[in-house]
Amino acid sequence: MKKALITGITGQDGSYLADLLLAKGYEVHGIIRRASTFNTSRIDHLYTDPHVNGVRLHLHYGDLADSLNLTRLIDRTGPDEIYHLGAQSHVRVSFDIPEYTGDVVALGTIRLLEALRETKVPARFYQASSSEMFGKVQAVPQTETTPFWPRSPYAVAKVYGYWATVNYRESYGLHASNGILFNHESPRRGETFVTRKITRAVAAIRRGKQKELYLGNMDAKRDWGYAPEYVEGMWRMLQQPEGDDYVLATNETHSVREFVEVAFAHAGLDWQEHVKYDARYERPAEVELLIGDPAKAKAKLGWEPQTRFKKLVQIMVDADLAALP
């Protein structure tokens, strides 16, 4: 039985990855932060299976700012694969807490890589890199060779983590891979992210529980895919003979305005009657256009997206409608 260690297991990607790995027969270990309230809602469904919870699913308290504990966890669990998904992942918030973002996102990656090197556990390592690293894009579409131009503290920290992963691969021979994932969404997306904010508002307005939705820049364009398909890509990267870097994307770009239009229309609403502008949601430096070319992932991993933009939006709206009485 293979063992996997996941940082960020309670997040969108971590929960879908746990589902995938458990379905493949893995023993899964997840790192969670100690909090005064429960924050495991995305993986609560796994607790109801007595053959999984406590048998093949194990949660450990830890923090990406605590290198000693990370080293102990890796040494004690002895994973075959490590998926590093944990982060302060909200781009807009990173402008408000840049030091914390850098500590967790950038140095957290170094702490894990050092723990892996020090323990000599022969685990394969996945680093969750981000399309935000391209920022002020230098080529359209973006590929694995497009230069980075980060436009937020979050993106700057992710660039650090990316190059740290490459450096440890080249310096110490680690099987380490960067997944440069473009935006990927789902009903498990955090409620403060713009896509989920939109679909939750659509459901609330449709049910008469809300009247207006406030947004910032609606002209920003993103490459949006479906999260469960992207965690499959992560797993495929670590099944390769050697570590490498891959873009996962749909090669389509759509504006926030388009997302709003499709979401409201799916619920039978006119978005112009409900959506208002609020400058507070603008970023100090905006990323205007992201679109990725996943040709390398298709050729080497056999991976390509299946769920396209309109269907993705509809899945999210339907889920949020179903969640409201």
Side-chain angles (χ1 to χ4, degrees):
M1 185 187 299
K2 278 189 175 181
K3 283 194 231 177
L5 177 65
I6 304 173
T7 71
I9 193 171
T10 59
Q12 170 189 254
D13 291 4
S15 65
Y16 282 123
L17 181 61
D19 289 341
L20 176 74
L21 296 179
L22 288 168
K24 290 182 179 294
Y26 278 64
E27 179 181 316
V28 174
H29 295 261
I31 299 178
I32 60 173
R33 284 179 296 169
R34 179 71 177 89
S36 59
T37 57
F38 292 111
N39 59 356
T40 58
S41 59
R42 294 184 182 91
I43 56 173
D44 282 348
H45 62 284
L46 298 173
Y47 294 165
T48 61
D49 186 345
H51 300 292
V52 172
N53 184 29
V55 179
R56 290 198 295 118
L57 174 66
H58 308 270
L59 301 182
H60 310 269
Y61 287 122
D63 196 296
L64 292 170
D66 186 349
S67 57
L68 180 59
N69 186 58
L70 293 174
T71 302
R72 286 173 175 167
L73 280 173
I74 290 174
D75 188 52
R76 188 165 73 243
T77 58
D80 299 289
E81 299 168 4
I82 297 175
Y83 295 87
H84 178 32
L85 313 182
Q88 188 302 99
S89 59
H90 198 288
V91 177
R92 178 62 189 85
V93 171
S94 76
F95 286 98
D96 300 325
I97 49 172
E99 181 181 346
Y100 174 77
T101 300
D103 186 28
V104 171
V105 178
L107 296 183
T109 304
I110 278 287
R111 292 179 185 115
L112 275 170
L113 289 166
E114 266 296 285
L116 194 53
R117 185 178 72 87
E118 287 288 333
T119 60
K120 295 181 172 56
V121 172
R124 299 183 173 194
F125 182 82
Y126 171 85
Q127 163 65 5
S129 290
S130 168
S131 60
E132 288 286 333
M133 300 188 304
F134 294 119
K136 189 176 180 180
V137 299
Q138 303 300 293
V140 177
Q142 294 88 57
T143 70
E144 292 81 4
T145 59
T146 302
F148 302 135
W149 193 316
R151 301 268 283 172
S152 67
Y154 168 78
V156 170
K158 279 294 186 182
V159 170
Y160 182 106
Y162 171 93
W163 285 117
T165 301
V166 172
N167 181 252
Y168 274 65
R169 182 172 70 216
E170 295 177 347
S171 300
Y172 305 114
L174 297 185
H175 189 299
S177 296
N178 280 292
I180 309 174
L181 272 57
F182 281 65
N183 293 63
H184 46 290
E185 317 295 321
S186 76
R188 297 185 192 176
R189 186 53 138 160
E191 296 173 357
T192 60
F193 289 82
V194 67
T195 52
R196 187 74 194 291
K197 181 180 176 181
I198 293 167
T199 60
R200 288 184 76 241
V202 166
I205 292 169
R206 187 71 180 83
R207 296 284 192 253
K209 299 177 180 292
Q210 184 175 326
K211 293 183 178 180
E212 296 176 332
L213 166 64
Y214 290 91
L215 296 172
N217 180 15
M218 293 179 62
D219 296 320
K221 294 182 177 180
R222 295 292 185 269
D223 184 322
W224 275 304
Y226 188 37
E229 297 169 2
Y230 282 55
V231 300
E232 169 79 22
M234 298 176 189
W235 176 78
R236 291 191 184 199
M237 290 179 207
L238 295 198
Q239 311 316 304
Q240 302 306 302
E242 297 179 347
D244 205 345
D245 310 315
Y246 301 89
V247 162
L248 298 188
T250 69
N251 204 23
E252 293 181 13
T253 189
H254 299 273
S255 68
V256 175
R257 180 174 283 102
E258 287 178 81
F259 197 105
V260 167
E261 291 171 351
V262 173
F264 275 81
H266 186 58
L269 299 169
D270 181 353
W271 72 271
Q272 296 185 23
E273 295 179 3
H274 304 283
V275 178
K276 310 294 181 184
Y277 172 75
D278 190 332
R280 291 178 300 173
Y281 297 116
E282 294 276 4
R283 300 179 185 177
E286 182 58 86
V287 175
E288 298 294 347
L289 169 66
L290 291 175
I291 177 171
D293 181 356
K296 179 178 177 180
K298 182 178 180 180
K300 295 190 70 174
L301 306 178
W303 181 92
E304 58 183 323
Q306 303 298 319
T307 304
R308 293 300 174 177
F309 176 73
K310 187 175 181 180
K311 180 62 176 175
L312 168 66
V313 179
Q314 293 172 345
I315 289 171
M316 294 179 67
V317 170
D318 287 342
D320 278 323
L321 281 168
L324 284 179

